[in-house]
Amino acid sequence: MEIDILDFVEQCRDIAKQALGKHAGEPASGGFARWVHVVLHCFRLEEGHSYRETPNRLKYMTEICDVLGLDRENLPDYSTIYKSFDRLKMWVWRALLRVSAQQHPQSGHAALDSTFFDRRRSSSYFRQRSGNTVQTLKVTTLTDIESLAVLDVHITARWKHDTKTGPQVVRRNADDLQSVVADNAFQDWHTEYEISALDIEYLVHYRGSSPNAVMNNALIRAKGYSQRWMAETSYSTTKRSLGDAVRALGWYRQFREIVLMFALINIESLCEPL
């Protein structure tokens, strides 16, 4: 979806300040406020610019510089932007994702699903030198089935089974959930028991064609299981808009990049379309 980039930057500014709270105005690398660095990374990823390109593009965008409170003659160097991605911890990007999701109506009903992001586009030389042979990252997300806002993200390189990652994601958001829908990859009695103990209705497809499985699947379809496709829509939107591969080299950078991508999709839907 094509959006008004100025509106996008303004939305990022407001959400970043809210996510950072009292830390928003604290100086980060280069003496610029933390919220400015967060918005610069949002702008960089949204526009698909490299670190070197970002300050060069900003030089010709007077209105965006005004929103960020930056002087066109004293923009952050690309190395400053690069280093700030190291210094801004994961909690910053998770807070940005959480606050961006809160800007959408919350139904209390969510879809749980997993997808994969490619990491082969990062430097093959770097991967060989560091001994990293994993080429795909597994991402489990929790998506509101009405607003399509991504509520939470879990990323792993070891490809843990869905029955291990699913409860972890649900547990973190238990206070805001009434029901969760998921496919049969998330089904085992341990997971069902754990999620039910959180007072959340767990609508999960059973495997096989036994009478119990058929009866359970018919029942959960009547309760709205068909809304599970909302999670797949959020994946499709993210990959079509921002790509299906991570560009960062380090593990921690790749994890942060994926969380930021889903936060940007939440923010994009708040912006004026072109």
Side-chain angles (χ1 to χ4, degrees), residues 127-147:
R127 286 192 287 108
Q128 292 170 4
R129 187 182 63 181
S130 59
N132 292 328
T133 58
V134 177
Q135 298 183 353
T136 309
L137 298 176
K138 183 176 181 180
V139 179
T140 303
T141 66
L142 194 67
T143 305
D144 189 275
I145 63 176
E146 291 189 11
S147 66

Side-chain angles (χ1 to χ4, degrees), residues 112-168:
L112 189 65
D113 207 352
S114 295
T115 189
F116 298 91
F117 279 80
D118 183 18
R119 68 181 302 266
R120 286 176 292 182
R121 295 188 190 179
S122 61
S123 168
S124 59
Y125 171 74
F126 176 84
R127 286 192 287 108
Q128 292 170 4
R129 187 182 63 181
S130 59
N132 292 328
T133 58
V134 177
Q135 298 183 353
T136 309
L137 298 176
K138 183 176 181 180
V139 179
T140 303
T141 66
L142 194 67
T143 305
D144 189 275
I145 63 176
E146 291 189 11
S147 66
L148 284 181
V150 178
L151 307 176
D152 201 356
V153 176
H154 179 84
I155 310 160
T156 178
R158 295 184 178 179
W159 290 25
K160 293 182 180 179
H161 195 272
D162 288 335
T163 55
K164 302 298 182 184
T165 59
Q168 184 174 343

